[in-house]
Amino acid sequence: MTSLTEEVSRTLNIYKRKYIEYTKCLVRDKEIIIDGRPEEKVRQLFIYFLVNKSGLFPNKIDIKVESDHHDIELYKIVKNKYFKPYCPPLMIVEVKREEENLRNHEKQIEKYLKNSCSEIGILYNYHQIIAYTNKNAVFTSNNLNSLTDIPPLILQSSNNIENDILDFEKAVNGSFDSFNYLTNKYGKYALNTITFRLKSEQLPIAGCFFRFKDNKMYYDIYGKYAKKQQSFNYQDFEKLVSIKY
């Protein structure tokens, strides 16, 4: 395997100014110092792979760097402008210097996954890649052979969002079952605004705190919370308009 120093020199655009080495981050679009920052070198190699080699950026994933105390976060690109709910990162990546024992950081990545409700975490030190999956706070780990093993994990995780987009389209076309599923997933609280239409109302309604009981959907008008919730019979549902964070 090529040494980290050789790989950095071969892959990244390195330049010096006043004897200090810099490169330009492909995500943040700004120059960063890499002299004396071994973890940053590893991170920039990982970012280079995502941007130039994974085949996922920019059409299928969005990349955030140093977001919410995480080294790298990956998000699914959702092209439907009316379906923009809050979604946790598809993947959280923590990079370490090349000589670091990744197993010493398992608790860290598991904590990040649990707190963010993300399903996949990666520990990477250039020489080793460990993938962690989070299923209801039960964690499993798997050693990956190379960075090329990562895109299939991302695509597998993003399938859940693709399924929700299908339900969104069904609800837009009048399916109450899909609407009920989506409100249960995205509308239990006030994190997202769910806008919908009823057959008996002329104007669309923006709601939150949805719950379905005895063939009735209960909800609050977004921003106008009362002791008694609004409600409608499921047969009065006309269509879903949007779900937005």
Side-chain angles (χ1 to χ4, degrees):
M1 185 179 190
T2 307
S3 71
L4 176 61
T5 300
E6 291 175 326
E7 188 66 24
V8 167
S9 299
R10 183 177 66 181
T11 303
L12 302 181
N13 179 23
I14 307 296
Y15 52 94
K16 284 188 176 182
R17 190 163 59 247
K18 295 182 179 180
Y19 307 104
I20 298 176
E21 287 188 336
Y22 293 82
T23 191
K24 191 171 185 179
C25 179
L26 297 177
V27 172
R28 291 170 287 182
D29 195 30
K30 68 176 184 179
E31 67 175 19
I32 54 175
I33 297 173
I34 61 172
D35 261 348
R37 302 179 67 190
E39 287 190 3
E40 190 62 60
K41 293 178 181 179
V42 176
R43 174 160 56 188
Q44 290 306 313
L45 286 176
F46 195 95
I47 290 173
Y48 180 89
F49 170 80
L50 291 175
V51 172
N52 295 302
K53 300 291 185 179
S54 71
L56 300 177
F57 182 83
N59 294 323
K60 294 185 178 181
I61 60 169
D62 186 25
I63 306 170
K64 294 184 179 181
V65 178
E66 292 186 328
S67 174
D68 198 23
H69 305 292
H70 304 146
D71 284 338
I72 301 171
E73 293 179 343
L74 305 185
Y75 290 86
K76 166 74 177 177
I77 294 291
V78 179
K79 295 182 179 180
N80 190 320
K81 65 179 181 179
Y82 297 106
F83 183 71
K84 297 289 184 181
Y86 169 79
C87 291
L90 287 176
M91 178 179 287
I92 295 173
V93 181
E94 287 298 309
V95 298
K96 304 299 175 185
R97 63 180 66 214
E98 62 175 326
E99 69 273 13
E100 190 71 19
N101 185 342
L102 295 182
R103 292 293 180 181
N104 292 337
H105 300 276
E106 284 188 339
K107 295 300 181 183
Q108 177 191 19
I109 193 68
E110 289 176 359
K111 178 182 177 181
Y112 288 167
L113 294 177
K114 183 178 180 180
N115 290 347
S116 66
C117 298
S118 297
E119 291 186 1
I120 304 176
I122 296 289
L123 289 177
Y124 177 60
N125 67 0
Y126 178 66
H127 296 289
Q128 186 182 13
I129 313 165
I130 306 178
Y132 294 82
T133 56
N134 173 22
K135 296 293 184 182
N136 300 317
V138 177
F139 299 96
T140 57
S141 64
N142 183 34
N143 286 286
L144 304 184
N145 294 320
S146 71
L147 292 177
T148 57
D149 293 332
I150 291 177
L153 293 178
I154 297 172
L155 292 174
Q156 179 182 349
S157 179
S158 69
N159 284 340
N160 294 330
I161 298 175
E162 294 288 353
N163 291 336
D164 287 350
I165 293 174
L166 292 176
D167 271 299
F168 176 81
E169 292 171 350
K170 291 177 182 178
V172 167
N173 290 323
S175 169
F176 179 80
D177 288 340
S178 292
F179 177 74
N180 186 31
Y181 163 76
L182 292 169
T183 55
N184 188 54
K185 184 169 184 177
Y186 297 107
K188 279 187 175 181
Y189 308 104
L191 185 63
N192 301 299
T193 303
I194 297 183
T195 304
F196 61 98
R197 285 185 175 274
L198 298 178
K199 297 172 184 176
S200 59
E201 299 288 340
Q202 289 186 338
L203 297 176
I205 301 168
C208 58
F209 294 112
F210 288 84
R211 61 185 180 91
F212 184 61
K213 183 180 180 181
D214 297 331
N215 292 328
K216 281 191 173 184
M217 180 65 77
Y218 295 84
Y219 65 95
D220 285 353
I221 301 294
Y222 198 92
K224 298 180 180 179
Y225 310 119
K227 291 183 178 180
K228 185 177 181 180
Q229 285 191 298
Q230 304 286 321
S231 67
F232 64 89
N233 190 288
Y234 79 96
Q235 293 175 328
D236 194 27
F237 174 73
E238 181 179 346
K239 62 182 294 186
L240 175 62
V241 176
S242 66
I243 301 178
K244 294 185 178 181
Y245 172 59

